[in-house]
Amino acid sequence: MLGGGGVRGAVQVGMLQALLGAGIVPDLVVGTSIGAINGAALASDPTPAVVDRLVEAWASPAAAAIYGDSWPKQLARLAKSRTHLNDPAPLRALLVDMLGEDPQFEDLRIPLAVTAASIERAAERWFDHGPLVPAILASSSVPGVLPPTKIGDEHFVDGGMVNSIPLGEAIRRGATRVYVLQVGRIEETLEAPEKPSEVARVSFEIARRHRFSREMDAVPEGVSVHVLPSGGPAKGDEKLGSYRRMDATKARIEAAFTATTAYLDQQ
């Protein structure tokens, strides 16, 4: 189960390297946002080779271009669109390069389910069949950063808005042993805010985390849950513009691999 978290989702590559290296191969992949992107790659190739593919994808010009426009360009796009800062074309190009021109869920080697938030219904929707790229785009359409993705008569935004760490969905789909590839935020303690910027950050984190906490408390008997360690935050993660930082990708992958390997060795 791969959660959301933007550029911090690079830690999931290190976690997958540790899991696959230990011979742990999934029967089901559930993902949200960046977890939907990484999860789709895993579901298409559930072998250690996918780690190299993901490392290459994360280091590619297409990945850097997703949030890579200058602030003036982003503000100009926002002024024109009135809804978003960035062009979704680089993300679509990255997905096509990674998954193929018109991949279907049914083409994947491992069953995959990804979630997005429907604007019209104000509810989560799970995608597990049909065209893959539009569903991944929908799950990754960060509000304000990328435009909503239209599928059929509905518009969708980032799945993290409704289910950032979808443990309950993995269990609902029959999982009895779940490995949670989270991006590290739930490892960080929250404290009462003391300034305006902290009010927004703490409030957002409560909104992101509360459902996972409830679902952890409700794990049924006979189901084991392994919350994998991220290896800790990168310097600067607390800053407002950290969602654009790709320079810490390699360090995130290495830290998560080391921490997850140590965790698995203790099991």
Side-chain angles (χ1 to χ4, degrees), residues 124-155:
E124 68 184 78
R125 173 174 167 183
W126 283 91
F127 295 88
D128 57 12
H129 62 276
L132 182 58
V133 169
I136 304 299
L137 279 171
S139 185
S140 309
S141 294
V142 181
V145 178
L146 294 170
T149 298
K150 187 176 181 182
I151 299 177
D153 295 329
E154 289 183 270
H155 296 81

Side-chain angles (χ1 to χ4, degrees), residues 6-213:
V7 296
R8 294 181 68 162
V11 301
Q12 294 172 348
V13 181
M15 293 171 178
L16 288 175
Q17 183 181 9
L19 287 168
L20 295 170
I24 299 171
V25 180
D27 300 305
L28 167 71
V29 179
V30 175
T32 293
S33 194
I34 188 61
I37 297 172
N38 290 332
L42 173 63
S44 69
D45 181 14
T47 73
V50 75
V51 173
D52 292 334
R53 290 177 58 206
L54 283 169
V55 168
E56 182 179 348
W58 274 85
S60 68
I66 293 172
Y67 300 140
D69 277 345
S70 65
W71 282 115
K73 283 187 177 180
Q74 290 185 67
L75 292 175
R77 186 176 291 110
L78 177 61
K80 183 177 180 178
S81 70
R82 299 190 178 186
T83 59
H84 57 278
L85 293 165
N86 291 283
D87 184 349
L91 177 55
R92 178 180 289 276
L94 178 69
L95 293 174
V96 168
D97 184 62
M98 194 163 56
L99 301 170
E101 188 62 41
D102 187 26
Q104 305 290 305
F105 277 88
E106 292 79 2
D107 299 331
L108 299 171
R109 293 171 62 182
I110 299 292
L112 170 71
V114 303
T115 190
S118 166
I119 292 176
E120 285 81 3
R121 294 186 296 109
E124 68 184 78
R125 173 174 167 183
W126 283 91
F127 295 88
D128 57 12
H129 62 276
L132 182 58
V133 169
I136 304 299
L137 279 171
S139 185
S140 309
S141 294
V142 181
V145 178
L146 294 170
T149 298
K150 187 176 181 182
I151 299 177
D153 295 329
E154 289 183 270
H155 296 81
F156 294 92
V157 294
D158 195 287
M161 298 296 294
V162 287
N163 205 340
S164 183
I165 311 177
L167 171 62
E169 184 66 20
I171 295 172
R172 188 184 73 80
R173 289 175 179 264
T176 55
R177 181 172 56 163
V178 184
Y179 290 93
V180 177
L181 284 67
Q182 50 84 36
V183 303
R185 287 194 175 97
I186 60 173
E187 301 169 353
E188 300 166 12
T189 58
L190 291 179
E191 298 179 355
E194 296 182 350
K195 50 188 178 182
S197 61
E198 293 177 353
V199 172
R201 182 183 65 81
V202 171
S203 299
F204 179 66
E205 283 302 318
I206 292 171
R208 283 175 54 91
R209 301 184 194 186
H210 82 280
R211 182 169 180 175
F212 177 66
S213 297

